[in-house]
Amino acid sequence: MSQPIPELAGVEHAYHDLATGVRAHLACVGPPDAPPLLALHGWPQHWWCWRRVVPLLASEYRLLMPDLRGLGWSGRPRDGDYRKECLADDALALLDALGIERAGLLGHDWGGWAGFLAVLRRPERFTGYVAMGTAHPWTRPSLGTLPRLGYQPPIATPLLGPRLIRDTPLVAKIHRVGWGERSTLDAAAVDVFAAAYRDPDRAEAGSRYYRDLLTRELPGQLRRAFSGRRLALPTRLLFGTRDPLGTAMAAGLERHGEDARVEYLQGCGHFVPEERPEAVAAAARDVC
C-alpha cells in the first residue's frame, strides 16, 4: 500500500510470512523480554487504533500490534478467505512465527471476535483476554438488534461495498457515529484510517469481511455453534454504553466462563481503545 505507515515513538515495524499464507505487518513496542501482549484491531481501522494504549503499557509489556489480513499494511490471503476463524489462525501463526508460547490478548471489533475464537480453540496459548466493542460468541441476534446491523449488507455487496468504502466518506462517518465522547475524537486519526481504505485492495478486503460474515459465518451462529463451549482463562469484555451496536450484544458473558465478565463503560462509544485507553490498560494488567 502506498499510504505511509504512521509513526509512533518507540514502535518498530516488521513483516512476517505466516503459515496461513498471509504476509503480516507487525508494529511492536516495549522491552523484548517483557510479557508479550498481542493486540488485534477491528474495522475500519488498523494497528494505529492502539496508539493511546501504547504509552500506558509499553513499559510493562511487549506490545504486538499486527494489521489483520488484507488491512493496513498486511497482505491479502491467497484464497480470499476473510472468515474470522482465519483471523484467529493468523494470530496463532504470528505467535508461532515469533517463537512465543503464551501471550496476553487484546481484541477490538473484528479483532475482538477473532480473539474469542482463538482463546476458545487454544486457551493454553494465552494468559488472559480483554475484548472490546464486540459481541461475544453466545450472543443471540434479536429483532431489537437487527436494525443496528443494517449497515452491513451494503458494505458486503460486491462492487457496491468496496466503492462505498473507497469513494465515499463512509469510513469517517462510521468513526464519528460510533464515537461516544466527542471530546476524545481524534479527527487526524480518522483521516489516517480513511486514507488507508482509499486503497482498492483494502476497500475490497473490508467488504469481504462482511460478505463472509453474512454468507458463511452467520448461519453457524444462528445454529448455536458455540453452545456448550466455555472460556478457560480470565476474560473481560469492555463495552461502551453508547456503542451503536447496543449493550445487549455484551450481555450474559459471565455464564460462559469461571472468570469472565462484562465491564460497561459509561458514556463510551464503540472505539474503546481510543476513547478509554486507561480502562484497556487496567483490564490488561488485571488478566494478562
Side-chain angles (χ1 to χ4, degrees), residues 6-245:
E7 296 181 2
L8 192 62
V11 172
E12 305 163 359
H13 299 272
Y15 291 86
H16 297 272
D17 292 316
L18 305 183
T20 55
V22 171
R23 183 168 175 79
H25 166 251
L26 177 66
C28 52
V29 65
D33 58 350
L37 183 58
L38 180 62
L40 306 178
H41 69 84
W43 189 85
Q45 299 190 302
H46 44 62
W47 76 271
W48 186 243
C49 80
W50 304 107
R51 69 196 178 282
R52 289 176 171 172
V53 175
V54 165
L56 303 178
L57 292 178
S59 65
E60 304 168 56
Y61 296 90
R62 179 67 169 171
L63 278 166
L64 308 169
M65 303 169 288
D67 287 324
L68 301 184
R69 56 172 53 198
L71 304 183
W73 289 264
S74 286
R76 294 176 293 171
R78 290 191 295 267
D79 58 5
D81 196 339
Y82 290 94
R83 289 174 299 159
K84 311 317 164 291
E85 285 281 0
C86 297
L87 306 186
D89 291 340
D90 291 343
L92 293 163
L94 179 60
L95 294 181
D96 290 342
L98 296 172
I100 295 172
E101 294 185 5
R102 210 160 175 242
L105 182 62
L106 309 178
H108 176 247
D109 189 80
W110 281 133
W113 183 266
F116 274 117
L117 301 181
V119 300
L120 283 169
R121 187 196 310 169
R122 296 292 302 277
E124 76 280 3
R125 299 299 301 272
F126 302 99
T127 56
Y129 179 41
V130 181
M132 294 152 262
T134 185
H136 59 74
W138 301 274
T139 300
R140 300 269 70 81
S142 68
L143 292 178
T145 59
L146 288 179
R148 299 175 183 269
L149 305 177
Y151 67 95
Q152 295 183 355
I155 293 174
T157 302
L159 300 179
L160 173 63
R163 184 169 183 178
L164 288 173
I165 294 168
R166 185 184 67 241
D167 298 334
T168 77
L170 177 66
V171 170
K173 183 176 181 179
I174 286 175
H175 280 86
R176 290 183 169 86
V177 170
W179 220 274
E181 296 183 1
R182 309 306 292 178
S183 63
T184 66
L185 179 64
D186 184 347
V190 173
D191 290 341
V192 170
F193 294 125
Y197 284 93
R198 294 190 191 106
D199 180 282
D201 289 341
R202 311 303 153 188
E204 177 64 28
S207 178
R208 286 178 177 265
Y209 270 76
Y210 287 93
R211 198 176 311 159
D212 278 359
L213 166 69
L214 297 180
T215 62
R216 305 175 68 185
E217 298 176 280
L218 188 58
Q221 178 73 357
L222 295 175
R223 291 195 301 269
R224 300 178 180 267
F226 297 93
S227 179
R229 301 178 68 179
R230 290 181 63 78
L231 294 161
L233 70 166
T235 303
R236 303 291 180 266
L237 173 53
L238 308 184
F239 208 93
T241 60
R242 295 181 64 183
D243 191 316
L245 294 176

